[in-house]
Every structure is written in C-alpha cells, then in structure tokens.
Amino acid sequence: MQVFILAGGYATRLWPLTEKRSKPLLPIAGKPLLTHLVEKIPSNMHVTVSTNSVFEEAFETWIQGLGHPNVHLEIEDTKHEDHKLGALGALGMWLEEKKIQEDVLVLTGDNYLGFDLAEFLKEFDGTNPLLAAHDIGDITKASAFGTVITKNADRVTDVLGFEEKPQNPKTSLVSTGCFVLPRGTIPLTIAHAKRKPDNVGGIFEEFLNNGIHVKAFVFTDPWLDIGSFGSYLAAHRLLVGGKTLLGAQSQNDAETICNESVSIGERCTIKKSTLTNCILMNDCIVEDCVLKDCILDDGCVLEGVDLTGKMIRAGTRLAIS
C-alpha cells in the first residue's frame, strides 16, 4: 500500500503564520504537525507528500530533518492559490502519472488524528473504500462539517450517503481527511478528479453513484482540522497537555510564569513575563509582558505589552515604554 499526503494548500485563513510557511509545517508541541501524522504511519510504507513549488524548499528541509527513508516529495508546479490543481486533482494526477496500481492511504496534512492508523488499516477489506468518520459527539456541532450517514452504529459500517455542512444534521459523524482507495477504484478516481478536482470528499459520492460500497471506520479519539487560529490553539492544548515545553537554547528567568499549555521554540529568551496557553516559535525575545492565547512567529521581540488572542507576524517588534 502507498501513502499520499495532501499538503499543497496556501492556508490563507492562518495568515500571517502561513504567509511563508505551509500549514502542515506549523509547529505543535515542539515538532511540525506533519511529523505527528507521519509518525503514525507504519514505517514500512512508502509515503508521498504533495505540495506546491512555493513551499518546496521548506519541505525538503523538513524531510532532511525527519530522517525517514520512505518519505518523498511530489511538487505541484503552482505558485498561487488560483493556479492550484485542487486536492483531488493533485491526487488524480499523481495516480495517473506514477501509474499507481496499489491500494492508497490518503491523508490530509493539516489534520491531527488521535487514533492508531494501524488499527484503521486492519479494517480495510482490500475491496471497498474505507474512510475515517469522527463522532463529534454533538449533532448540532456537526453542521460545520461534511457529515457521513451510515447504516448503523457499528465500529465499521456501510456508508449510505453524505451531507455537506447540513443545516439540520442527521448524524454526529463527520468526514475526516483519512481514507483508503482500493486499487480497483483508481481509474474512476482519476476520471472524476479531472471533472471535479477541488472536492476530494466528492469521490465517495461518485463511488456510491457507481454502485461501489463505501465503508466507514468510526472513531471517537481526538481529531482536529487545523484550519483556523482557534483550532491551532486547540491542537496545541491537546498535545502539550498543560505543560511547558522549552526548546533548545531557550531560557525563562525566575520571574517568568507559564500557565496551562506553553510551547517555546529554540533560542528564545523570556524575562519577567506571564504566558498563558501560548505558542512562541524560534528566536523570540519577550520581556515584561502578559500574553494569553497568543502565537508569536519567528524572531518576534516584545517588551511591556499585554496581549490576548493575537497572532504576531514573524519579525514583529512591539515595545511600550
């Protein structure tokens, strides 16, 4: 089985953090989100990460640091949002150009999956497409997602249909960026990707329309789609777990207080400050500040400021005398 990870988006909703950085490379609990995902994949599987040419160098650097011999890049020759192939388009092109004739595990690089991927793969029967459906536990919250209507409440069950962000959801099961394409469905996937390249989830409706049975693997473990400031901080809180993580060559002085979940990158200096549920990336200097629910990108210098719920652009200097 091959693995294909979609990581080609431009993530404009998370600017300025993703202005020059791919969303899957955002750090969470001391390492990129994509690293958390790759570490869940069985080590013997060949992994292709699909991204665009804007972030090619950053992904090359990430792979070098990862030290995983089975992870490789597929570069989409696009530099702007309006030129991208679309998620399903990128998958279809790879399947066709590489002449893939194996089952394929498809993952989206901006998702955090709390379940064991090996357990998920055990449920794949080799014939029917299998998708991971998260039970969000609250039917009213499901309206913000694409929902999966299933035959019954079993751990693995037949999929009957889908609804895209329904006003009145019929289920609390939501679709996630994790599924297996059996090799027999690859020709149909390639053909559908050429017609509708933007909607990767739409391939399952195409399967159902063509009489192909689709299975759902239902899980209640944590799942997060890192698409906004709030979901990024939620993933941070989940993975840091109420601790303070201090990167290499970083230091806090005795007058600094860290509350809840705090992640500090490399070569940072924190003095006389209070940090509550914050992410500081590399090379930041913070002195005499009170920061809550804030994210500071690389190289920020803050002195004497009180901020809540802010994302600070790389290289920003803020000081109140």
Side-chain angles (χ1 to χ4, degrees):
M1 181 182 288
Q2 297 256 5
V3 183
F4 189 77
I5 301 178
L6 292 158
Y10 291 90
T12 54
R13 284 192 298 158
L14 273 167
W15 279 28
L17 300 179
T18 54
E19 192 172 10
K20 297 180 180 179
R21 178 194 289 108
S22 175
K23 183 166 53 170
L25 296 182
L26 285 170
I28 299 181
K31 55 188 174 185
L33 171 61
L34 189 55
T35 300
H36 290 279
L37 187 61
V38 168
E39 289 176 347
K40 288 181 171 288
I41 298 170
S43 60
N44 63 329
M45 298 179 73
H46 184 280
V47 179
T48 298
V49 178
S50 173
T51 190
N52 57 66
S53 56
V54 172
F55 299 125
E56 180 177 1
E57 184 177 346
F59 275 92
E60 291 282 7
T61 300
W62 168 75
I63 284 182
Q64 291 172 11
L66 190 66
H68 194 309
N70 291 333
V71 178
H72 305 276
L73 280 183
E74 181 77 11
I75 303 300
E76 182 182 313
D77 188 21
T78 58
K79 293 183 179 293
H80 303 284
E81 178 78 23
D82 55 354
H83 295 161
K84 60 185 292 190
L85 295 174
L88 190 61
L91 173 61
M93 179 176 289
W94 173 76
L95 291 170
E96 186 171 35
E97 290 185 349
K98 300 299 181 182
K99 298 179 171 59
I100 302 299
Q101 298 181 18
E102 302 172 59
D103 304 324
V104 180
L105 169 63
V106 181
L107 301 166
T108 48
D110 57 359
N111 277 210
Y112 174 77
L113 301 173
F115 63 85
D116 186 340
L117 268 178
E119 292 299 316
F120 170 71
L121 293 172
K122 285 180 183 177
E123 301 295 346
F124 174 56
D125 62 12
T127 302
N128 298 298
L130 177 68
L131 61 86
H134 175 60
D135 190 345
I136 202 167
D138 184 339
I139 200 167
T140 60
K141 292 182 179 179
S143 61
F145 303 91
T147 60
V148 183
I149 301 170
T150 58
K151 182 177 181 180
N152 54 47
D154 292 346
R155 170 78 160 177
V156 179
T157 182
D158 292 331
V159 174
L160 302 180
F162 302 88
E163 291 185 308
E164 182 58 28
K165 297 183 179 179
Q167 186 174 356
N168 298 298
K170 299 181 178 70
T171 174
S172 59
L173 299 183
V174 301
S175 185
T176 68
C178 174
F179 57 91
V180 179
L181 291 177
R183 67 195 72 184
T185 64
I186 287 176
L188 180 57
T189 301
I190 292 171
H192 186 68
K194 290 177 179 179
R195 296 192 301 270
K196 296 185 177 180
D198 293 322
N199 182 12
V200 68
I203 188 59
F204 296 106
E205 293 185 7
E206 183 71 0
F207 290 156
L208 293 178
N209 291 339
N210 282 270
I212 297 172
H213 292 287
V214 177
K215 299 284 188 178
F217 170 89
V218 178
F219 69 97
T220 57
D221 310 85
W223 167 74
L224 292 165
D225 178 3
I226 316 300
S228 65
F229 174 75
S231 60
Y232 184 22
L233 275 182
H236 158 74
R237 288 192 298 268
L238 175 67
L239 295 179
V240 175
K243 301 187 294 289
T244 296
L245 304 180
L246 196 63
Q249 301 179 54
S250 290
Q251 55 184 349
N252 294 344
D253 71 1
E255 296 180 71
T256 290
I257 299 171
C258 293
N259 301 312
E260 300 180 26
S261 300
V262 175
S263 181
I264 298 170
E266 299 180 356
R267 300 175 301 279
C268 295
T269 301
I270 319 297
K271 297 179 179 179
K272 297 185 294 183
S273 297
T274 299
L275 309 181
T276 302
N277 192 39
C278 290
I279 302 170
L280 278 62
M281 299 186 191
N282 299 327
D283 302 300
C284 292
I285 299 173
V286 175
E287 184 171 356
D288 195 25
C289 294
V290 177
L291 307 179
K292 181 178 180 181
D293 296 329
C294 287
I295 304 172
L296 277 58
D297 206 340
D298 294 338
C300 288
V301 179
L302 275 60
E303 182 178 355
V305 297
D306 187 337
L307 298 175
T308 298
K310 301 296 183 183
M311 289 193 295
I312 307 299
R313 186 185 301 271
T316 296
R317 304 178 72 91
L318 291 175
I320 297 178
S321 56

